[in-house]
Amino acid sequence: MRRSGFQQRLHARQGAGSRGIFGKLSIAFVVLAVCTLSFLFLSSLSSGGGESSSSSEIIVDKLWETAGSGGWRPSSAPRSDWPPPPSNSNGYLRVRCNGGLNQQRSAICNAVLAARIMNATLVLPELDANSFWHDDSGFQGIYDVEHFIKTLRYDVRIVEKVPDVRKNGKTKKIKAFQLRPPRDAPISWYTTTALEKMKEHGAIYLTPFSHRLAEEVDNAEYQRLRCRVNYHALRFKPNIMKLSKSIVDKLRSQGHFMSIHLRFEMDMLAFAGCFDIFTPEQQKILKKYRQENFAEKRLVYSERRAIGKCPLTPEEVGLILRAMGFDNSTRIYLAAGELFGGERFMKPFRVLFPRLENHSSVDSSGEFTENTRGLLGSAVDYMVCLLSDIFMPTYDGPSNFANNLLGHRLYYGFRTTLRPDRKGLAPIFIEREKGRVASFDEAVRRVMSKTNFGGPHTRVTPESFYTNSWPECFCQIETQDPAHKCPPNDIMDILDSRLESEAGDDLDSSALANSTITVSER
């Protein structure tokens, strides 16, 4: 398994000395020679062994390719007994997914899993229109509903609304009992507290429903269900897919392109407590936003910066890319909201990389005129970043957009990602600000060489399952471990057969019940 993709991509040259000479040298001189060779080797990482441009081209050419798979391939199909949803459920499950598009996306995955756990019929999830985007598009306005229901037919029963019930000759609505799930609730909460209320009332309404089911569950099939929802069932509506494809086609018509999630926005800067680089007036705005939206906490900028807790500035992003060998011809798609601080922060980045685009500048249809920051804009940004040759998140801490994309690109074929180690890079940038710029590129490259570039890697806390679903949602054709072996090629036929069998049993039961009623009525 590939631990350091960048190291495998570097093609450095190392000078070689005459072996015979070493045998005649003193111990001190040997040490000196070894140190000299080590220095030359490190220099070759930065300068390409005296051929700077060609070395950079080799590195960049490798980075434009997908990361090594290590023999793994994405697979979220069941690998053990997975019966279809029973015809008689325990009731209806309604959820309200709050937050932005990608926080809602994770919540939808959790809602499907919760419905499976409780043997519930899932009502099409509600997307909160007020808490983030102020966009009332709803699930039907963003996702392909028919595809969603059809894709998950082997897993859960889904309806668009809670149906009315007829009792004693009258039609009544089922009133869902409202519950507030604990944050990161264990499965046991759903099989006890939630299920009891569902059986009592016929339906429950879980709100809010963001991060309300534990990510780490000790059941690989449950995790694979999450992947089926996230990477197969949740497909944007055809108009969004068409618009995204047209933007990607335009960007790729001139060669490779990179996407960057430039998370240099007011909410993230306020959350991080990184104020000092802004004007006094801007600092007031950030502090006010923090007081209104986040818990009170003592935050010192110099301390936060030193441990990599501040989002990278646009200029720092540009310097990282330049150090890695990307030149000013690189085409970059920026996925970002309104950058805080204005042109003062963007100008240095634009000088380094002038070929910058966003969804509004590339799209000629005018669809973004009134919805650049709503769910439509976020959905298109998501698809363009997913399909780009390289994706770089600049702040992947609490960013649902970046985290979900990292996981989706991993599943989508180990597509290359550049994940800056902010903690490792912080002292390098601090030294540069003090005027110490010698070996800056080499130092940046050394830190970046230790990061993962999109290949399979072990998930380590606090990395999210939605950021890295390896190994649960991946398999190997050639392996001795049955847990990692790919399912049979006819797995869909098997699931179809079981679903048809279940449906046949339902019809038989229904026919028997109708026959019984007819006899009794006579």
Side-chain angles (χ1 to χ4, degrees):
M1 185 180 68
R2 200 182 67 144
R3 295 288 183 184
S4 179
F6 193 68
Q7 290 171 335
Q8 292 181 2
R9 301 167 188 216
L10 294 176
H11 295 276
R13 297 180 180 179
Q14 183 173 354
S18 171
R19 297 179 182 174
I21 295 176
F22 286 118
K24 300 176 183 179
L25 295 175
S26 66
I27 294 176
F29 191 73
V30 170
V31 172
L32 177 62
V34 171
C35 291
T36 302
L37 288 172
S38 298
F39 172 76
L40 290 173
F41 177 71
L42 288 173
S43 297
S44 72
L45 294 182
S46 178
S47 65
E51 297 178 331
S52 177
S53 61
S54 63
S55 174
S56 294
E57 288 170 5
I58 292 173
I59 295 170
V60 170
D61 284 347
K62 292 293 182 182
L63 289 173
W64 287 120
E65 299 173 3
T66 57
S69 67
W72 293 89
R73 58 188 245 183
S75 174
S76 58
R79 298 176 207 172
S80 59
D81 184 52
W82 189 257
S87 57
N88 297 317
S89 73
N90 287 319
Y92 294 92
L93 172 63
R94 288 179 55 200
V95 299
R96 182 176 65 86
C97 306
N98 54 305
L101 179 70
N102 291 281
Q103 185 169 310
Q104 293 173 351
R105 190 181 184 102
S106 302
I108 294 168
C109 297
N110 287 341
V112 172
L113 178 54
R116 174 77 188 194
I117 291 169
M118 294 189 291
N119 180 25
T121 298
L122 178 66
V123 181
L124 209 62
E126 301 170 21
L127 305 186
D128 186 3
N130 301 312
S131 65
F132 194 83
W133 289 117
H134 305 287
D135 187 322
D136 60 357
S137 300
F139 193 102
Q140 294 91 334
I142 296 295
Y143 295 109
D144 186 332
V145 174
E146 183 180 350
H147 177 80
F148 181 75
I149 295 174
K150 183 179 179 181
T151 303
L152 297 172
R153 65 189 181 279
Y154 308 116
D155 307 302
V156 292
R157 293 186 181 274
I158 303 173
V159 296
E160 295 195 35
K161 62 178 183 178
V162 178
D164 296 334
V165 293
R166 190 167 181 80
K167 190 174 182 180
N168 298 327
K170 296 182 179 180
T171 301
K172 292 185 177 181
K173 292 185 178 295
I174 300 176
K175 186 176 181 180
F177 182 82
Q178 185 168 318
L179 279 172
R180 183 185 180 93
R183 187 177 176 88
D184 298 321
I187 289 176
S188 59
W189 184 85
Y190 288 89
T191 56
T192 55
T193 304
L195 185 57
E196 288 172 7
K197 293 298 182 182
M198 178 177 287
K199 288 181 176 180
E200 180 182 348
H201 298 275
I204 58 173
Y205 182 38
L206 304 183
T207 179
F209 199 72
S210 171
H211 305 289
R212 301 296 159 168
L213 177 57
E215 280 191 16
E216 295 298 334
V217 295
D218 190 21
N219 186 319
E221 292 297 359
Y222 286 170
Q223 298 293 54
R224 282 190 275 273
L225 173 56
R226 278 172 160 158
C227 289
R228 288 199 290 282
V229 181
N230 207 4
Y231 307 135
H232 295 278
L234 283 174
R235 186 171 72 187
F236 294 121
K237 288 176 68 70
N239 66 306
I240 296 175
M241 300 296 282
K242 182 179 178 181
L243 181 57
S244 302
K245 184 180 183 301
S246 70
I247 291 176
V248 170
D249 289 344
K250 288 178 184 178
L251 291 168
R252 192 161 283 142
S253 65
Q254 300 180 39
H256 295 298
F257 79 95
M258 174 193 303
S259 62
I260 297 178
H261 186 220
L262 200 56
R263 199 68 166 93
F264 199 71
E265 300 158 330
M266 180 169 64
D267 62 331
M268 195 55 65
L269 291 163
F271 171 82
C274 301
F275 308 141
D276 292 26
I277 58 175
F278 298 99
T279 65
E281 188 62 32
Q282 290 169 340
Q283 289 187 40
K284 288 181 182 178
I285 295 172
L286 289 173
K287 290 176 180 177
K288 182 175 184 293
Y289 187 93
R290 179 170 179 85
Q291 290 174 354
E292 293 173 350
N293 294 278
F294 303 111
E296 185 176 349
K297 187 177 181 181
R298 178 182 174 275
L299 299 173
V300 179
Y301 171 73
S302 59
E303 296 175 359
R304 304 284 289 172
R305 176 82 191 286
I307 59 175
K309 292 296 185 181
C310 290
L312 294 170
T313 68
E315 181 181 19
E316 289 171 342
V317 174
L319 291 171
I320 292 170
L321 293 176
R322 189 182 67 178
M324 294 181 69
F326 295 95
D327 60 31
N328 62 5
S329 69
T330 305
R331 197 165 194 190
I332 297 175
Y333 179 90
L334 291 179
E338 185 177 351
L339 298 183
F340 192 78
E343 184 62 18
R344 176 168 72 94
F345 288 97
M346 274 304 298
K347 186 176 180 180
F349 184 40
R350 191 174 285 109
V351 169
L352 291 170
F353 295 95
R355 301 185 69 191
L356 301 179
E357 305 280 3
N358 60 28
H359 55 220
S360 296
S361 68
V362 182
D363 170 52
S364 58
S365 67
E367 288 198 40
F368 289 110
T369 303
E370 298 180 358
N371 202 359
T372 55
R373 297 197 67 248
L375 292 176
L376 172 63
S378 183
V380 171
D381 275 348
Y382 186 94
M383 286 306 302
V384 176
C385 289
L386 174 63
L387 298 173
S388 64
D389 300 293
I390 296 174
F391 172 62
M392 181 182 187
T394 62
Y395 194 74
D396 57 347
S399 172
N400 293 290
F401 183 93
N403 286 333
N404 278 13
L405 266 168
L406 289 169
H408 205 156
R409 286 177 65 87
L410 187 77
Y411 190 86
Y412 196 58
F414 306 108
R415 303 177 79 85
T416 300
T417 57
L418 307 179
R419 300 177 67 178
D421 175 4
R422 296 191 309 278
K423 186 175 182 180
L425 291 166
I428 301 172
F429 282 116
I430 291 172
E431 287 296 297
R432 184 180 183 277
E433 291 166 7
K434 294 177 181 177
R436 305 186 185 110
V437 296
S439 302
F440 173 81
D441 285 0
E442 177 188 329
V444 169
R445 192 178 295 190
R446 186 168 56 247
V447 170
M448 291 299 295
S449 73
K450 299 175 183 177
T451 64
N452 181 277
F453 284 78
H457 60 283
T458 302
R459 185 170 66 251
V460 179
T461 304
E463 190 174 35
S464 164
F465 175 79
Y466 293 106
T467 302
N468 178 14
S469 59
W470 185 88
E472 293 94 336
C473 295
F474 295 82
C475 69
Q476 291 181 308
I477 297 175
E478 301 293 336
T479 180
Q480 300 299 317
D481 188 342
H484 296 155
K485 190 170 181 63
C486 291
N489 293 329
D490 62 346
I491 182 64
M492 300 307 294
D493 293 336
I494 295 172
L495 293 174
D496 269 328
S497 175
R498 296 195 66 175
L499 189 63
E500 289 174 5
S501 175
E502 180 74 21
D505 292 342
D506 291 349
L507 289 173
D508 291 342
S509 299
S510 177
L512 178 61
N514 290 335
S515 173
T516 304
I517 291 173
T518 304
V519 171
S520 63
E521 286 176 347
R522 289 176 182 173

